[in-house]
């Protein structure tokens, strides 16, 4: 499997040299400076590719795009510019294909991306981890955002703890909670203030699962022909967390949702980004089983782990710790890659990256995006590589 590393561009404190020292050979990046909905020019794609390949001794290549953002109007299914937005996304796919970049990860989450309430949970020895505390989410939703009807989405116990948190927490920590929730837009420079977030959440209160699904289907119908023409594989990322959030519908939560999406617009270029951490945050999801079910349609993998609490809270764990059976999951992915090689399928090499990492040792001295530390991801990649190497040798697979 191809070991990759997410890089946010030249301003990223986690550098390309760090990626190579960690053992990665593929880079996962995007053109974050280009506004959502605009075409990625070939010249800009070539420039980013040249930056990645500038030092031949590193041996790096641009392996996966994460992400070409889907404009909000596409997700909302409305706006006079829909036709142009579909055309722009399609042209970006053609431009990427023309530059030899064949895998595009995308998501269809409304308003927010991945969501955590605490970005610095203490670990033994002084490390830090990301966590979603449900009572803090409820405090934000019910007391700070003041979303109408929000109380119906939480248990009485959670609501009680949320009220206590509001009473006992300093104002500075309450202000920080908004920033923590906004941190899930790691590649974007847009951040919502509380009033703006209140407005956009309210505007999407009537967006049902059925309507959002229909908008996704319409999007795929319009852009997949260009993906096929360009030889680009599009792989949708699961919702994180995989459940409705602050009144916002989410539609990539489990095997049933994934099956619907892949069947709705049949195409060999439509597939899945298998994210073990996102899917693993739902106690009903058997992540290795989901991987086995959709193995031929997995074009990219995010590997991280979570530990879950009974109230729905979860924390990002060690890559080989937590509730997801990572060894069994990797076994499925290694086996699928070998199948592709034996059948002589094009681009049989399956890219994966260590998704998120704890803040370890001197990671705190670098201003990296939350979760995208250097040493924490280096450790995760090393652990995952060890499992893959062991499984491959046990089964006589080619590495």
């Amino acid at each position: 499997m191809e070991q990759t590393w997410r890089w946010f561009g030249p301003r990223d404190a986690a550098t390309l040299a760090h990626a190579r020292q960690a053992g990665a050979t593929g880079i996962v990046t995007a053109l974050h400076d280009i506004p959502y909905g605009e075409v990625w020019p070939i010249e800009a794609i070539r420039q980013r590719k040249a930056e990645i390949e500038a030092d031949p001794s590193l041996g790096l290549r641009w392996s996966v795009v994460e992400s070409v953002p889907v404009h909000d109007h596409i997700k909302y299914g409305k706006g006079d510019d829909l036709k142009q937005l579909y055309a722009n996304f399609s042209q970006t796919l053609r431009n990427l294909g023309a530059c030899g970049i064949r895998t595009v990860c995308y998501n269809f989450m409304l308003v927010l991306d991945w969501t955590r309430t605490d970005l610095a949970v203490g670990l033994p020895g002084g490390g830090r981890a990301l966590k979603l505390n449900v009572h803090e989410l409820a405090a934000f939703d019910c007391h700070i955002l003041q979303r109408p009807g929000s109380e119906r989405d939480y248990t009485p116990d959670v609501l009680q703890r949320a009220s206590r948190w509001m009473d006992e927490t300093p104002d500075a920590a309450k202000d920080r909670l908004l920033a923590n929730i906004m941190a899930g837009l790691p590649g974007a420079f847009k951040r919502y203030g509380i009033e703006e977030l209140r407005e956009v959440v309210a505007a999407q209160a009537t967006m049902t699962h059925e309507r959002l699904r229909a908008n996704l289907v319409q999007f795929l119908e319009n852009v997949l022909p260009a993906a096929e023409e360009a030889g680009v594989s599009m792989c949708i990322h699961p919702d994180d967390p995989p459940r409705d959030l602050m009144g916002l519908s989410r539609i990539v939560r489990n095997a049933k949702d994934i099956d619907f999406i892949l069947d709705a617009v049949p195409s060999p270029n439509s597939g899945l980004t298998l994210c073990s951490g996102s899917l693993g945050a739902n106690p009903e999801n058997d992540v290795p089983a989901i991987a086995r079910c959709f193995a031929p349609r997995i074009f990219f993998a995010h590997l991280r782990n979570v530990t879950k609490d009974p109230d729905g809270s979860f924390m990002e764990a060690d890559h080989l710790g937590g509730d997801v059976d990572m060894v069994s999951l990797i076994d499925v992915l290694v086996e699928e890659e070998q199948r592709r090689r034996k059948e002589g399928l094009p681009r049989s090499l399956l890219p994966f990256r260590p998704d998120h990492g704890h803040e370890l040792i001197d990671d705190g001295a670098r201003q990296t995006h939350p979760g995208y530390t250097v040493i924490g991801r280096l450790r995760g990649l090393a652990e995952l590589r060890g499992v893959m190497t062991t499984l491959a040798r046990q089964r006589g697979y080619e590495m």
Side-chain angles (χ1 to χ4, degrees), residues 5 13 114 118-131 180 315-319 355-380:
W5 184 269
W114 60 263
D118 193 336
L119 307 182
V121 177
L123 299 171
R128 295 180 176 182
L130 308 182
K131 184 175 183 180
N180 290 349
M315 187 172 79
E316 298 191 356
D318 294 339
H319 284 77
D355 190 21
H356 295 183
H358 291 162
E359 184 181 296
L360 303 176
I361 309 177
D362 66 347
D363 273 329
R366 286 177 286 269
Q367 295 299 312
T368 55
H369 295 287
Y372 292 94
T373 57
V374 173
I375 295 174
R377 284 189 292 163
L378 181 152
R379 173 186 169 181

Side-chain angles (χ1 to χ4, degrees), residues 17 78 85 91 120 122 135 215 256 301 325 337:
K78 61 182 180 181
L85 289 170
Q91 189 58 50
H135 72 277
N215 295 342
K256 184 178 179 181
D325 184 347
E337 182 179 81

Side-chain angles (χ1 to χ4, degrees), residues 24-42:
T25 56
I27 294 299
V28 177
T29 193
L31 303 183
H32 298 298
D33 290 330
I34 297 179
Y36 288 13
E38 293 189 7
V39 175
W40 289 12
I42 282 186

Side-chain angles (χ1 to χ4, degrees), residues 318-339:
D318 294 339
H319 284 77
L320 299 185
D323 301 330
V324 177
D325 184 347
M326 192 63 71
V327 175
S328 294
L329 173 59
I330 292 173
D331 199 14
V332 173
L333 298 177
V334 169
E335 181 180 332
E336 170 59 21
E337 182 179 81
Q338 292 302 310
R339 181 194 68 81

Side-chain angles (χ1 to χ4, degrees), residues 272-330:
L272 173 67
T273 295
L274 191 285
C275 181
S276 57
S278 298
L279 292 169
N282 182 343
E284 297 180 0
N285 285 338
D286 182 334
V287 181
I290 291 174
R292 189 167 295 281
C293 179
F294 298 105
R297 306 296 292 276
I298 297 172
F299 301 146
F300 183 36
H302 290 177
L303 300 182
R304 62 178 171 84
N305 222 318
V306 293
T307 54
K308 298 182 286 291
D309 297 329
D311 67 356
S313 302
F314 61 89
M315 187 172 79
E316 298 191 356
D318 294 339
H319 284 77
L320 299 185
D323 301 330
V324 177
D325 184 347
M326 192 63 71
V327 175
S328 294
L329 173 59
I330 292 173

Side-chain angles (χ1 to χ4, degrees), residues 111 140-141 143-148 192-204:
V111 183
F140 181 83
D141 195 7
H143 298 277
I144 299 174
L145 191 64
Q146 298 178 341
R147 178 174 63 89
Y192 295 114
I194 192 64
E195 291 298 331
E196 188 178 8
L197 181 60
R198 184 177 291 129
E199 290 176 4
V200 296
V201 168
Q204 300 312 311

Side-chain angles (χ1 to χ4, degrees), residues 191-250:
R191 295 290 186 269
Y192 295 114
I194 192 64
E195 291 298 331
E196 188 178 8
L197 181 60
R198 184 177 291 129
E199 290 176 4
V200 296
V201 168
Q204 300 312 311
T206 59
M207 179 66 72
T208 64
H209 297 92
E210 291 73 22
R211 283 184 56 199
L212 189 57
R213 275 184 167 185
N215 295 342
L216 172 57
V217 169
Q218 182 173 272
F219 165 67
L220 292 174
E221 288 173 339
N222 278 274
V223 304
L224 279 174
E228 293 173 1
E229 172 192 334
V232 170
S233 296
M234 292 180 59
C235 41
I236 193 164
H237 188 286
D239 300 329
D240 184 9
R243 58 178 182 261
D244 292 357
L245 189 74
M246 295 192 298
L248 300 170
S249 293
R250 294 203 156 181

